[in-house]
Amino acid sequence: RTSDRRQAIDIESGSAVYSTDDSRPTVLAGGVTITQGTLRITSSTAEITMRNGEAVRAVLRGGPVRMSQQLDDGTPMNSVSSTADYDMQADVVVLAGNVSVQQSRGSLNGERVTYNMRSGQVASGGAAGGGRVKMRILPKNSGTP
Amino acid sequence: AEDEEDWSLCPLQDAVPAFEGVTTPTAGNSQTRVQQPTDIEGDALEGSEDADTLVQGNVQLRRGDQFLGTDRLVYNQTTGQYRADGSVRYQDSGMRIVADSAEGNQDTDSHTINDLQYQLVRRRGNGGADRISLNDDRGALYGATYSTCDPDQRAWELRAREIDIDLAKGRGVARNATLRVGKVPVLYVPYFPFPTDDRRQTGLLYPSISSSSRNGFDWKQPIYLNLAPNYDATLYPRFMSKRGVQLGGEFRWLYGQGSGTVSGAWMPKDDLPGNRPERYLQDFNGNPIPGATLPEDNRGQFGLTAIHNFDSTYYASANLGWVSDTHYLEDFSNSLYGVSSYFVQSDVGVFGRGQYWNAGIAANHYQLADYTLSDANLPYDRLPRVFGHWAQPFGRWFEAGVDGELVRFRHASYAGQNTLFDGSRLDVKPYVAANFDGASWFVHPKLAWRYSQWELDNDWQSRAGLTELSPSRSLPITSVDAGMYFDRNTTVRGERYLQTFEPRLFYLRVPYRDQSGIPLFDTAPMTFSWGQLFRDNRYTGPDRQTDANQLTIAATTRFISEADGREKLAVSLGQIRYFEDSRVITPGESRVAEGKSAWIVDATFAPSDRWLINGAYQWDPKIRGQDLASLRARYLVGDRGIVNFGYRYRRNINFNPAVPGSEPDLIKQADISFLYPITENWSVVGRYYYSLLDKKPLEQIAGVQWESCCLAVRAVARRYLRDRSGELNDALQLEVELKGLGSAGQKTERVLRRAILGYDRDDLYLVPPQTVSPPVTSGTPTTSDS
Amino acid sequence: CGFHLRDQITVPMQVSPLHVVSADRYSPLAETIAQALERGGVTVIREGGEGAVLDIVAEQWGDTPISVDALGRSQEFSLRYAVIFELRDAAGTVLVPRQTIELARDYVQNPTNAIGTEGERETLSRELRREMAFSVLRRVDAVFKSGDVQQQNPPIPQPAITPNPADEAAGNPGG
């Protein structure tokens, strides 16, 4: 939801190696969970880059990275990919590595999907690189996939 | 039932070739399609759920049986609207389309495609259009063309402002369409239905157009009515410029226990008799026939054949025919064989069959259909005929049985003259027989007792002078049939054969009974042939039972190929030795004198699967002359061609120099006919049937057929014996067949089938299947094309 | 000259017991063949049971004029009888490939006196049926004699004449 961005971000992880200065990212491992409002991301490791005390970018890897969020119209969106690069300032997440995005009206998979949380814009393949993109749209009246 | 179109001459490549990586769907239509998910695939995708999604780069959209390929697709998930640009390829279970751009709405399943080429999936139709708007299973093409020809050999094409195609019903309708053959616009039709799949469709079959000196311009437009899965009908409105309008029709039905066909034709007013009155009112040498009238009004013909199986043992069958006048067959036939039958036989009966028996009760009626004959020439009607046949083997060797028949004869011309009166007859023939046989021999002695009893109307006494009104005849018939089988292996020109030698003897002993006081209801001497050597009666019916003390000596040799077991050559030779004169005769027949009968030679030679030659020869030592010389050869050319050759000579065995007009020779004719495929497209058809006796041709055919993938043109010129005065009729028949345009594929070579035996390869073995009785109304124009 | 009495028809075991099957249950041809086979030592099963199958796939009659007189009236007819048959063993393997035998008998019909033609046609059709039974048996026997029952060179494709009940039953004159 657009309101998610105003929520606090809390991050839990099995272990964490904090770094004091901004040049080296904090590395979290042992299963990481990041939540912000309805947004919830889990992965095995994460590298958080901080800038003057605020998290600006998180690169999550390992085991499939799972992301789920509730959209403005209340329909759920969740995705699975090998890596996720979350630019918190631009509110853009770039998922890569046989990405599969599930939405109420259908699914999308491809090698590399860019998801702009502010505009809900999804882009994949082509200029953004990566292989063929596949998208499935369910028939209007059949409801859940 | 419609005939399959022959597309073998068409290039394999479709007009709109299949899209690679896309299987052609077999089933699926709009209803099923809308419930299925839509899969979109592309190189790049951007967009969000509520706004448009843009997919680019070899985009493929699939939903159920629907496929859309394009370079660039803009699709709005919420509204379902889409627009595709760049090498658009669309396909569903009905059609395949290529175009530049397309747009539509997936939710309402409606699409509009511009400047397209299309191809029907389940049938060969293809063409182009400025625009097509598809919604669910109906498509409307604007500024469209349709044809079954290949795009680069457009032999014919249907151009229309609008063509509506309804894939659910499997029909297309072209509105104000012009039909072009080659570049020439041939036909303008406001409304033209055509099939888009193979289902039987009510609709126009394409017309057969011909012209002849008798009918003038002859247009027959069959209309096929697909009334129900198990019955259908065809109407034949027909216009003949020199004669008028005729309506023919045929109704066919099929049900669990049987099937049937009713056919008929009706012509309110025929101008032909008026044009040539002398042919109806005078006989050959010009003097008027008393009481003859011009058959101008309500001329028609009716035919019914039906079979009904009560159960696996009993069945009823009917085969009725009627013509309005004795000139009808001649005036309405378009083939020699239509002219050749001279009575219309109707029979109806109930029959039963078991393992060792069969029986039935039937009635036969004959109607005169030839004005050169009179009712007196007709056979007796059998109203009714009750018959039974039982034969049962007992143990390994013995057999017993009985043939019985009770018939009431009535003749159509009963009143008219003083020779053919009514009567009824009972004929019973019980027999016992033994079948002693081993592998290489057989002896079949048979003792039969024939008892026959007649009940004659008293006209036989008062007007025909017969003394005895209920004569009877009772006599034993003993016969012994014996034969042996010899084999040997031989090699002829390198091929190994098993040659057989089968001598056979048949002794027949029947005492003489005076039968001169018995009228002939259904009896006449049989044609002397190979079968005659082994029969126990020289006559076809019980009214005469020949007396005999004779021995048949015969032998057959066969060459059976060791490679495939086929009989390559079989030659049979036989003769009867009469130890006494045979005194029973029918009027006009001479006694069979003691001594030797004619030699009979029958030979069948089939050197390969392509050749079949059979010959028959009879040489009569008494007159030191030939009774019969017949040779028939059939050669298969390629897989569609055929050449037939035939020569027939038959002596007139009842020749009596004293009788004026009695000719020594009955038949002396030669006949050659062929369908010869020169190339894949061109084939020539021809026949030359010449009577050496009368020194004139009976039928000549010359024709050429050009057939391509989607168009067949047949031009056939025919000269055939059209009427009894021996005058020949010239007919030029031009048939243009636009393959795939008629609603049920129509085979138009029906006329030629009869003239050239085996012209159509699938009835190579027999002319179109018929019942054993002579064809009721053979060759008349209203033959169905089922 | 090398002729010897024909030795016993070697009917191999796969053929006995045997059914004679025809599109029309009581086809007189099937019955004649069955009785001839029985006399030849083959046990013929009439109802049910496993066994080889001599299948009379189709019988077809045709009666066509073959010559006309000077006035165009037909005077000679040819009564023709064609049968398609096949022999399979109990397991269904084809022993004698599907093939056609066609026989014909000509007869004269005098236009001015047609009395008796019906009788001649019935006599001829009975004789043709008996001759056809022997021809079928001869062909089967010859194929077995030629030894290589299995490797038959495929005959030219035979036209499949589907048995038309109306035609066949009606083409079967009683008596």
Side-chain angles (χ1 to χ4, degrees):
Chain A
R1 266 210 179 80
T2 42
S3 59
D4 286 348
R5 283 201 302 292
R6 286 192 296 282
Q7 309 280 343
I9 302 177
D10 48 48
I11 302 171
E12 293 162 41
S13 70
S15 70
V17 170
Y18 291 96
S19 85
T20 55
D21 65 44
D22 292 349
S23 61
R24 286 180 41 258
T26 316
V27 173
L28 314 174
V32 176
T33 309
I34 301 173
T35 49
Q36 186 185 27
T38 64
L39 172 65
R40 188 166 181 287
I41 307 177
T42 57
S43 70
S44 31
T45 69
E47 290 166 12
I48 315 284
T49 325
M50 314 290 282
R51 188 152 303 124
N52 44 50
E54 208 196 338
V56 290
R57 187 170 175 226
V59 175
L60 305 102
R61 268 190 204 85
V65 175
R66 290 181 193 289
M67 184 170 90
S68 65
Q69 188 181 27
Q70 208 176 44
L71 301 182
D72 287 345
D73 56 12
T75 56
M77 188 286 280
N78 42 58
S79 77
V80 174
S81 59
S82 355
T83 66
D85 183 343
Y86 181 16
D87 176 343
M88 294 161 180
Q89 281 174 326
D91 280 329
V92 167
V93 181
V94 175
L95 309 168
N98 53 52
V99 181
S100 165
V101 175
Q102 298 290 343
Q103 284 169 322
S104 65
R105 269 300 315 287
S107 68
L108 170 75
N109 19 52
E111 274 315 298
R112 198 168 179 289
V113 175
T114 323
Y115 176 48
N116 178 326
M117 300 166 79
R118 212 172 281 155
S119 68
Q121 191 76 4
V122 174
S124 158
R132 297 277 288 168
V133 184
K134 289 195 179 60
M135 175 173 158
R136 161 161 288 197
I137 299 155
L138 301 175
K140 275 255 169 17
N141 40 35
S142 75
T144 54
Chain B
E2 83 218 80
D3 301 337
E4 269 319 311
E5 285 297 351
D6 165 15
W7 302 113
S8 53
L9 291 166
C10 299
L12 288 175
Q13 188 64 309
D14 275 345
V16 176
F19 310 140
E20 357 66 31
V22 181
T23 56
T24 312
T26 48
N29 54 38
S30 175
Q31 285 72 18
T32 57
R33 206 179 287 153
V34 176
Q35 269 106 32
Q36 284 164 335
T38 310
D39 288 328
I40 303 179
E41 186 185 314
D43 288 350
L45 177 143
E46 335 158 17
S48 66
E49 229 186 43
D50 37 27
D52 284 356
T53 308
L54 168 66
V55 192
Q56 293 181 0
N58 184 5
V59 181
Q60 294 190 359
L61 178 146
R62 282 192 178 77
R63 180 174 66 169
D65 65 322
Q66 214 173 18
F67 165 82
L68 176 69
T70 176
D71 295 344
R72 188 172 178 285
L73 175 73
V74 176
Y75 177 70
N76 182 312
Q77 286 180 29
T78 41
T79 65
Q81 279 294 26
Y82 76 89
R83 182 176 164 68
D85 290 293
S87 72
V88 170
R89 304 182 304 285
Y90 172 83
Q91 174 176 288
D92 60 23
S93 59
M95 287 177 103
R96 188 183 301 145
I97 297 177
V98 286
D100 293 338
S101 68
E103 57 192 342
N105 186 312
Q106 279 290 82
D107 301 342
T108 61
D109 195 16
S110 64
H111 317 272
T112 309
I113 303 175
N114 308 317
D115 184 13
L116 58 109
Q117 292 296 327
Y118 73 93
Q119 150 103 34
L120 298 181
V121 167
R122 267 172 278 169
R123 198 175 167 93
R124 260 198 70 78
N126 65 70
D130 302 339
R131 185 166 57 86
I132 181 172
S133 69
L134 285 164
N135 28 52
D136 46 62
D137 288 330
R138 275 193 307 285
L141 296 110
Y142 300 95
T145 63
Y146 170 82
S147 166
T148 56
C149 301
D150 200 62
D152 39 31
Q153 325 152 342
R154 239 10 181 187
W156 64 267
E157 194 176 62
L158 194 67
R159 277 214 185 110
R161 225 172 23 74
E162 184 185 348
I163 295 184
D164 299 328
I165 292 187
D166 182 337
L167 293 167
K169 294 210 195 77
R171 274 163 60 86
V173 173
R175 287 197 168 66
N176 34 57
T178 52
L179 179 64
R180 286 171 185 278
V181 177
K183 291 284 172 288
V184 176
V186 164
L187 187 71
Y188 168 78
V189 186
Y191 172 88
F192 194 101
F194 59 90
T196 60
D197 58 24
D198 303 332
R199 271 173 289 187
R200 287 185 321 181
Q201 294 297 330
T202 297
L204 303 183
L205 307 185
Y206 29 79
S208 66
I209 307 149
S210 59
S211 87
S212 67
S213 48
R214 178 186 63 183
N215 301 342
F217 176 74
D218 190 342
W219 168 291
K220 187 167 88 169
Q221 175 55 60
I223 303 164
Y224 177 76
L225 306 172
N226 176 18
L227 306 170
N230 64 340
Y231 53 87
D232 60 15
T234 313
L235 296 178
Y236 298 98
R238 178 180 187 187
F239 167 72
M240 292 177 268
S241 63
K242 285 186 180 168
R243 296 176 63 178
V245 176
Q246 177 195 40
L247 177 64
E250 182 175 273
F251 177 73
R252 295 170 288 271
W253 68 86
L254 194 63
Y255 59 101
Q257 287 85 15
S259 64
T261 309
V262 176
S263 64
W266 175 60
M267 190 165 190
K269 179 79 179 61
D270 186 0
D271 300 342
L272 180 65
N275 306 347
R276 312 273 302 282
E278 73 289 350
R279 282 185 53 253
Y280 298 80
L281 304 177
Q282 291 163 7
D283 59 20
F284 301 144
N285 3 49
N287 27 49
I289 306 165
T293 60
L294 282 181
E296 287 180 317
D297 302 323
N298 290 326
R299 301 189 74 181
Q301 163 245 329
F302 169 79
L304 175 131
T305 53
I307 173 108
H308 173 77
N309 298 313
F310 297 111
D311 56 26
S312 63
T313 311
Y314 293 96
Y315 66 94
S317 94
N319 193 334
L320 309 176
W322 171 81
V323 284
S324 59
D325 55 272
T326 54
H327 279 274
Y328 186 89
L329 280 187
E330 182 179 286
D331 289 350
F332 284 90
S333 88
N334 50 21
S335 79
L336 180 61
Y337 291 115
V339 179
S340 60
S341 33
Y342 28 86
F343 55 73
V344 172
Q345 176 173 347
S346 300
D347 30 55
V348 63
V350 178
F351 306 93
R353 256 185 324 221
Q355 186 180 2
Y356 294 126
W357 60 276
N358 67 55
I361 171 164
N364 312 89
H365 167 67
Y366 299 94
Q367 181 198 10
L368 185 66
D370 180 332
Y371 59 90
T372 64
L373 304 171
S374 74
D375 279 348
N377 305 113
L378 285 176
Y380 270 86
D381 291 346
R382 299 189 286 192
L383 303 163
R385 171 176 180 249
V386 183
F387 65 89
H389 169 76
W390 170 71
Q392 181 147 2
F394 290 93
R396 169 97 175 61
W397 310 104
F398 296 98
E399 179 187 336
V402 63
D403 289 336
E405 187 188 40
L406 175 66
V407 189
R408 199 175 80 76
F409 292 100
R410 208 196 146 288
H411 201 278
S413 68
Y414 176 83
Q417 30 57 45
N418 50 20
T419 52
L420 299 165
F421 303 116
D422 296 355
S424 42
R425 177 189 66 212
L426 167 72
D427 174 51
V428 181
K429 188 166 121 180
Y431 72 89
V432 284
N435 298 321
F436 303 119
D437 48 28
S440 60
W441 60 277
F442 68 90
V443 177
H444 294 162
K446 179 174 180 182
L447 172 63
W449 190 279
R450 176 167 236 170
Y451 172 80
S452 316
Q453 165 85 31
W454 287 260
E455 291 303 330
L456 308 177
D457 287 11
N458 29 38
D459 280 340
W460 283 106
Q461 193 168 37
S462 57
R463 291 168 62 189
L466 290 187
T467 51
E468 176 58 63
L469 275 184
S470 48
S472 70
R473 175 197 62 211
S474 171
L475 46 79
I477 303 173
T478 48
S479 66
V480 179
D481 191 354
M484 300 185 75
Y485 299 101
F486 297 91
D487 292 346
R488 73 173 178 179
N489 293 321
T490 72
T491 313
V492 175
R493 287 214 301 275
E495 249 200 271
R496 286 180 54 73
Y497 287 95
L498 171 78
Q499 184 188 2
T500 73
F501 175 65
E502 301 159 19
R504 183 177 176 188
L505 298 176
F506 178 76
Y507 175 72
L508 177 64
R509 181 74 186 89
V510 183
Y512 170 72
R513 294 286 185 276
D514 177 7
Q515 297 161 51
S516 52
I518 302 173
L520 295 176
F521 289 111
D522 64 355
T523 302
M526 293 255 203
T527 316
F528 193 74
S529 65
W530 174 262
Q532 184 63 34
L533 301 178
F534 309 101
R535 292 184 190 133
D536 63 5
N537 190 5
R538 212 157 51 79
Y539 296 98
T540 64
D543 295 335
R544 286 293 181 279
Q545 170 58 54
T546 183
D547 61 318
N549 181 1
Q550 63 186 43
L551 176 67
T552 296
I553 305 162
T556 301
T557 180
R558 302 174 201 280
F559 286 78
I560 298 172
S561 148
E562 298 234 339
D564 56 12
R566 281 186 198 281
E567 215 169 84
K568 292 288 192 267
L569 173 69
V571 182
S572 309
L573 176 68
Q575 185 185 45
I576 302 179
R577 294 287 166 81
Y578 300 105
F579 302 127
E580 295 163 18
D581 283 1
S582 173
R583 294 153 58 195
V584 173
I585 54 168
T586 54
E589 215 192 343
S590 47
R591 275 190 176 191
V592 176
E594 183 194 352
K596 297 190 182 113
S597 81
W599 282 101
I600 293 185
V601 181
D602 261 2
T604 306
F605 181 42
S608 74
D609 288 343
R610 295 198 166 280
W611 271 106
L612 181 63
I613 303 165
N614 37 48
Y617 188 77
Q618 286 173 21
W619 190 79
D620 193 337
K622 290 199 190 80
I623 60 156
R624 304 197 63 70
Q626 55 182 18
D627 283 355
L628 168 75
S630 144
L631 176 70
R632 278 206 293 262
R634 179 174 66 202
Y635 179 67
L636 309 183
V637 181
D639 58 9
R640 281 178 57 233
I642 186 166
V643 181
N644 292 301
F645 169 77
Y647 169 79
R648 300 192 67 72
Y649 166 76
R650 204 180 265 279
R651 186 170 67 84
N652 179 1
I653 31 180
N654 299 331
F655 169 59
N656 178 345
V659 171
S662 172
E663 291 290 337
D665 298 334
L666 193 63
I667 298 168
K668 194 172 183 181
Q669 299 175 352
D671 182 0
I672 179 158
S673 58
F674 58 87
L675 157 67
Y676 195 80
I678 300 171
T679 68
E680 245 193 4
N681 304 92
W682 288 94
S683 51
V684 280
V685 179
R687 181 183 193 197
Y688 191 77
Y689 178 23
Y690 184 79
S691 165
L692 301 146
L693 199 62
D694 314 304
K695 303 265 177 305
K696 70 173 185 179
L698 302 173
E699 180 164 46
Q700 293 156 294
I701 293 179
V704 65
Q705 171 175 295
W706 181 80
E707 188 173 8
S708 82
C709 153
C710 58
L711 177 71
V713 182
R714 245 168 249 106
V716 177
R718 266 201 5 281
R719 205 164 210 274
Y720 60 92
L721 205 52
R722 194 205 56 193
D723 58 29
R724 297 312 183 218
S725 61
E727 197 196 318
L728 293 173
N729 173 50
D730 307 332
L732 175 69
Q733 214 151 355
L734 175 71
E735 279 158 6
V736 176
E737 180 187 341
L738 309 180
K739 287 190 188 177
L741 202 51
S743 75
Q746 191 183 17
K747 274 263 190 321
T748 53
E749 306 96 340
R750 182 152 297 283
V751 161
L752 292 177
R753 235 183 218 182
R754 268 319 221 358
I756 305 173
L757 227 46
Y759 166 75
D760 194 327
R761 286 304 293 277
D762 60 10
D763 57 19
L764 176 67
Y765 291 94
L766 279 180
V767 182
Q770 290 145 10
T771 57
V772 176
S773 55
V776 169
T777 49
S778 62
T780 48
T782 58
T783 46
S784 79
D785 54 25
S786 63
Chain C
C1 54
F3 274 109
H4 52 79
L5 279 177
R6 182 169 63 178
D7 40 36
Q8 185 63 16
I9 301 182
T10 55
V11 176
M13 279 335 291
Q14 321 107 297
V15 171
S16 179
L18 171 89
H19 296 265
V20 182
V21 163
S22 143
D24 153 26
R25 215 161 76 81
Y26 281 117
S27 141
L29 174 68
E31 187 47 38
T32 320
I33 291 180
Q35 285 176 16
L37 281 172
E38 264 163 353
R39 277 205 303 280
V42 176
T43 49
V44 177
I45 319 164
R46 290 281 159 53
E47 294 301 329
E50 278 305 311
V53 175
L54 175 57
D55 187 354
I56 311 285
V57 175
E59 297 177 50
Q60 202 131 5
W61 291 89
D63 186 33
T64 50
I66 43 173
S67 76
V68 290
D69 64 14
L71 306 180
R73 300 181 300 209
S74 44
Q75 53 185 351
E76 252 186 315
F77 281 82
S78 168
L79 180 64
R80 301 165 68 194
Y81 183 32
V83 158
I84 299 183
F85 73 97
E86 187 183 81
L87 179 63
R88 300 184 294 271
D89 68 7
T93 48
V94 175
L95 299 178
V96 175
R98 178 173 295 205
Q99 49 198 277
T100 299
I101 297 182
E102 180 197 344
L103 301 175
R105 290 285 182 276
D106 303 346
Y107 60 98
V108 174
Q109 171 171 353
N110 176 346
T112 53
N113 177 2
I115 286 189
T117 320
E118 186 72 18
E120 178 152 19
R121 195 175 307 111
E122 272 159 28
T123 310
L124 287 177
S125 58
R126 263 200 310 275
E127 287 167 2
L128 274 176
R129 197 166 280 131
R130 237 177 114 260
E131 177 60 30
M132 181 62 84
F134 289 130
S135 306
V136 169
L137 291 175
R138 263 200 309 273
R139 186 70 66 81
V140 168
D141 179 51
V143 166
F144 282 129
K145 275 221 171 65
S146 69
D148 45 16
V149 163
Q150 260 64 32
Q151 313 81 9
Q152 292 305 314
N153 44 34
I156 52 174
Q158 303 302 348
I161 305 181
T162 49
N164 164 348
D167 162 67
E168 202 289 322
N172 168 11

